[in-house]
Amino acid sequence: MALQTCNTGGMAKTTINTALLYSALDAARQERRLSWRALAGEIGVSPSLLSRLGNGLRPDTDGFATIVRWLKLPAEDFFDQSDADSASGGQGEPDLMAQIVPLLRARKDLDETDIKYLQQVIGATIERARAQG
């Protein structure tokens, strides 16, 4: 089920970035040294839901909510908007921080303070690279 939002310039469609969600789950799975089936059990979803994600299919709303809550990440980190591609010149490249944060949060050796610090350092580095580019 796709999540949709409206704006005054027409319909802006917001969808779940399944590749990003799957990569965050895979990072958590590898960190915990779990099989996909064991990960599904730990999260509280069916193994078939994780398999569907791996095949690029969107999860149902309850499954998505369960996964992002388990990941302890905001659901918005996994949203894509179809009008965002046209606003960014059609590059379609996901936001770098949106890709990095799930990886940081999947680490057991980092606490919330460490994660926030790394986000600030990486964010500043990205901004510097954009300013020079």
Side-chain angles (χ1 to χ4, degrees):
M1 174 177 203
L3 302 170
Q4 294 190 358
T5 58
C6 292
N7 66 16
T8 57
M11 182 67 89
K13 185 176 181 183
T14 302
T15 59
I16 297 169
N17 183 329
T18 56
L20 184 57
L21 183 59
Y22 189 79
S23 68
L25 286 169
D26 193 31
R29 181 188 69 81
Q30 289 180 32
E31 182 70 27
R32 290 171 173 76
R33 296 188 174 153
L34 297 173
S35 68
W36 282 104
R37 183 171 294 282
L39 180 67
E42 188 173 309
I43 295 170
V45 297
S46 70
S48 64
L49 173 62
L50 300 185
S51 178
R52 287 193 308 271
L53 273 176
N55 290 320
L57 301 174
R58 289 187 299 268
D60 60 272
T61 306
D62 289 342
F64 177 69
T66 301
I67 290 169
V68 295
R69 185 170 189 207
W70 182 84
L71 285 169
K72 297 182 177 116
L73 292 170
E76 296 83 14
D77 285 358
F78 301 101
F79 290 170
D80 275 337
Q81 285 190 324
S82 60
D83 64 344
D85 285 346
S86 60
S88 65
Q91 296 174 10
E93 188 72 27
D95 181 66
L96 183 57
M97 285 302 286
Q99 291 179 305
I100 292 172
V101 170
L103 299 175
L104 294 175
R105 291 191 177 278
R107 303 279 313 195
K108 288 184 177 179
D109 58 340
L110 298 175
D111 64 21
E112 191 63 30
T113 303
D114 296 332
I115 293 167
K116 286 182 180 179
Y117 174 76
L118 288 169
Q119 282 181 264
Q120 290 174 343
V121 170
I122 294 166
T125 304
I126 292 169
E127 288 303 315
R128 183 164 190 245
R130 285 181 183 153
Q132 291 178 344

